[in-house]
Amino acid sequence: MPSIELVSLVSASLLLISVFSSKLASKVGIPSLLFFLLTGWLIGEFGGPELHSPEIAKFIGDFALIFILFTGGLDSHWPNIRPVLWQGLCLSTLGVFITMLLLGSFAWFILGSFSTFSLGVHGITLTQGLLLAAIVSSTDAAAVFSVLRSSHIVLKGKLQPLLELESSSNDPMAVLLTVTLLNYATGAESAFLEGGMFLVMQLLIGVAVGYGGGRFMVWLLNHMGLSSAGLYAIASIALVLLTYSGATFMHGNGFLAVYVAGIVAGNREVTHHHYINAFHDSFAWLMQIIMFLTLGMLSVPYRAELSSLASVAVAISLFLMFVARPVSVFISLLWAKISFKEKLLVSWVGLRGSVPIVLATFPLAAGIKEAGEIFVLISFIVVMSVLIQGFSLAALARWLGLAEKK
């Protein structure tokens, strides 16, 4: 068993490497998650521990995602959201669903039993193709805005709050679709109608519990009368976990519940709210670092599949960027008073990030066939999205005349 001194040294080194890599990432202009993943991969590749347990990775990812989503809701300011509420919700619901249908059908077409590139003996089923697409259907607000910050630009008009709302609110939708399709793929749900009812129930209970949990959080924090601001932050952690577990035990979606609770709590006066917000921002960063180091180590045992799946992953990534995402955006915003240039930029600002890689551990933990290959494909798609769209985002925004310097 390693000594506490060795564990402390390794932990301190990894955290400092992650912090400094985040600084480097902001200068280069790509999201820091790539550096976190690379660090975790290098640890497993060159003498460090490899992670062979998808269950452990899923547990860490779920726990981290609770606080990442809560912090996303906490940072969502209602005055900024209100003018673009319906556009953002259309993108995060209808847009995610259309992306899943298009990308899932394409993945099934090139990875099914009738394809040259089929996975396994019989290829993937349509359900597995839709599952892959649902996992990668959400965008990442942190990835988008880290690119904009490093480029020293802001987007004109209502684009910035629209993208912030979409990226924050489409994560719960992706989780809902992933869980529903995973239940169907593993036989937990026997029919699509039953799966649809499960989806609606998860959505309604998640929103209701999240709203009630957020209101209760605000009331309790304002009436606790504690002597230290730090105790309020600890109490907020307990209340976030209580909201998640309460929604889950009631067969709702806990991730959606904590996101809604974050929005409710973040838009009301709370005792020591500046301290609590700063604490949760730091805690969410810590969760991201731990999560991506873990997922990087988990990817090492599946590196053998990377070379055989590279060409397929490139095809799926390009289809997502140039077909599925633009079609879903233009259909979702068909009714909105948004210019063609703005829709074009929104179509390109579809960077994938933390949530798809966490969701990619769900099939692994459930033990479905070809789950390892799906995990590799998702990781590859996220990296390609960040590199291609991340490096070209600022240039496209300037070319369309939708960017201005800070």
Side-chain angles (χ1 to χ4, degrees), residues 4 136 144 181:
I4 185 64
V136 79
V144 171
L181 286 166

mmCIF file of all heavy atoms in Angstrom, residues 4 136 144 181:
data_model
loop_
_atom_site.group_PDB
_atom_site.id
_atom_site.type_symbol
_atom_site.label_atom_id
_atom_site.label_comp_id
_atom_site.label_asym_id
_atom_site.label_seq_id
_atom_site.Cartn_x
_atom_site.Cartn_y
_atom_site.Cartn_z
ATOM 1 N N ILE A 4 1.274 7.741 2.609
ATOM 2 C CA ILE A 4 0.539 9.000 2.475
ATOM 3 C C ILE A 4 1.421 10.070 1.846
ATOM 4 O O ILE A 4 0.940 10.936 1.111
ATOM 5 C CB ILE A 4 0.004 9.459 3.853
ATOM 6 C CG1 ILE A 4 -0.866 10.708 3.718
ATOM 7 C CG2 ILE A 4 1.173 9.710 4.820
ATOM 8 C CD1 ILE A 4 -2.113 10.512 2.923
ATOM 9 N N VAL A 136 -22.988 11.928 -27.776
ATOM 10 C CA VAL A 136 -22.155 13.025 -28.273
ATOM 11 C C VAL A 136 -22.980 14.218 -28.740
ATOM 12 O O VAL A 136 -22.471 15.139 -29.378
ATOM 13 C CB VAL A 136 -21.256 12.501 -29.426
ATOM 14 C CG1 VAL A 136 -22.038 12.408 -30.736
ATOM 15 C CG2 VAL A 136 -19.984 13.309 -29.572
ATOM 16 N N VAL A 144 -16.408 26.355 -25.532
ATOM 17 C CA VAL A 144 -16.679 27.481 -26.437
ATOM 18 C C VAL A 144 -16.073 28.772 -25.908
ATOM 19 O O VAL A 144 -15.345 29.483 -26.608
ATOM 20 C CB VAL A 144 -18.202 27.651 -26.650
ATOM 21 C CG1 VAL A 144 -18.492 28.941 -27.406
ATOM 22 C CG2 VAL A 144 -18.774 26.463 -27.393
ATOM 23 N N LEU A 181 -32.081 5.338 -24.033
ATOM 24 C CA LEU A 181 -31.623 4.395 -25.063
ATOM 25 C C LEU A 181 -30.806 3.258 -24.467
ATOM 26 O O LEU A 181 -30.864 2.121 -24.952
ATOM 27 C CB LEU A 181 -30.798 5.141 -26.112
ATOM 28 C CG LEU A 181 -31.612 6.021 -27.063
ATOM 29 C CD1 LEU A 181 -30.706 6.983 -27.827
ATOM 30 C CD2 LEU A 181 -32.391 5.144 -28.061
#
